[in-house]
Amino acid sequence: MGTPTPPAETVTALARRYRLELDMGTTPGTPIWTLVPGVTEFTPKIEPTQQEVTTYDAEGWSEQAVTMLAWSIETTIAHRAHPTTGIFNAAQEALRKASRSFGAKSYVRVRYYDRNGAPDAQEGSALVTWEPDGGGPDEVDTIKVTLTGSGPLAEITNPAAGGGTFAVKGGDA
């Protein structure tokens, strides 16, 4: 037996690899994917619900089964406004408005993916929580946005995937 071959994957992925987009389309089935700008933190989560399924056959060992999955995204965004008009970014405003709505208007369709083209891309519908961070006179306006999944989080083909080879862009290595 020889020395094991070290893995070829030696570059650490960066947290800023994710891109978050919101479907701003008004026609069902015809999405208009729009960048949610100003992301400063991004945490996607999938949490399983586990139930005990232990039987006598387990000889005293506990057994578990996953019975449900829940997904969410916790992100912090820098609140973006037009430099001349002062009007807030349309995608960010759509999230804010959904957080203050009921029924169908309270749901948004989102997708997120690895901006470098790696096979890590998801899409789903979510409810929105919009929480301004506040702060002192010397701080910027940041918002904590929580997207709580409603239904499945589907794996999709990464929209940033190119001709097949994953390439690290300059400065991202």
Side-chain angles (χ1 to χ4, degrees):
M1 296 186 64
T3 304
T5 304
E9 300 80 10
T10 58
V11 176
T12 300
L14 302 177
R16 67 176 182 251
R17 69 189 178 93
Y18 286 111
R19 179 179 172 117
L20 177 63
E21 293 181 343
L22 178 67
D23 179 2
M24 298 284 285
T26 56
T27 306
T30 309
I32 299 173
W33 293 109
T34 306
L35 173 70
V36 176
V39 171
T40 61
E41 290 184 38
F42 187 86
T43 308
K45 297 180 179 183
I46 298 177
E47 297 180 19
T49 298
Q50 298 177 351
Q51 299 291 332
E52 185 176 337
V53 294
T54 306
T55 65
Y56 286 9
D57 299 330
E59 298 181 10
W61 292 97
S62 176
E63 295 178 321
Q64 303 289 320
V66 173
T67 59
M68 190 177 302
L69 296 173
W71 69 272
S72 64
I73 298 168
E74 293 179 2
T75 186
T76 301
I77 58 173
H79 206 182
R80 298 290 197 206
H82 189 276
T84 305
T85 65
I87 295 173
F88 289 118
N89 173 269
Q92 290 183 353
E93 273 298 283
L95 291 171
R96 184 185 68 79
K97 287 178 181 178
S99 77
R100 301 173 66 143
S101 298
F102 296 98
K105 290 184 178 185
S106 65
Y107 293 91
V108 295
R109 189 108 186 123
V110 295
R111 72 179 182 184
Y112 66 92
Y113 54 90
D114 183 296
R115 69 178 68 234
N116 298 313
D120 182 2
Q122 330 296 320
E123 179 181 324
S125 292
L127 294 171
V128 182
T129 303
W130 178 273
E131 301 174 77
D133 287 330
D138 62 337
E139 298 192 6
V140 297
D141 186 13
T142 57
I143 313 294
K144 179 182 176 191
V145 176
T146 303
L147 301 166
T148 304
S150 180
L153 181 65
E155 288 191 26
I156 59 170
T157 300
N158 187 333
T165 306
F166 175 78
V168 174
K169 303 209 174 15
D172 287 350

